[in-house]
Amino acid sequence: MSIPAVLYIIAVILLILAALPIGTRGVSLALLGAASALLAYSWPTITGSEA
């Protein structure tokens, strides 16, 4: 499994958790999920590898 695939899975899990009515103190799960998805999307550019 590639690094971007793992990051997308983490992003999906975080976004699902952010949609649940649970309280997190000081940490926005939606923001972490979005950042993880953006990192997965830009991974080939950051590492200089071809997808």
Side-chain angles (χ1 to χ4, degrees):
M1 188 179 285
S2 65
I3 300 285
V6 171
L7 290 171
Y8 276 128
I9 291 171
I10 291 171
V12 168
I13 291 170
L14 286 172
L15 290 173
I16 290 171
L17 288 176
L20 295 175
I22 56 173
T24 57
R25 189 177 296 170
V27 178
S28 172
L29 295 177
L31 187 60
L32 288 175
S36 177
L38 183 61
L39 180 61
Y41 178 75
S42 62
W43 188 259
T45 304
I46 292 171
T47 60
S49 63
E50 295 296 321

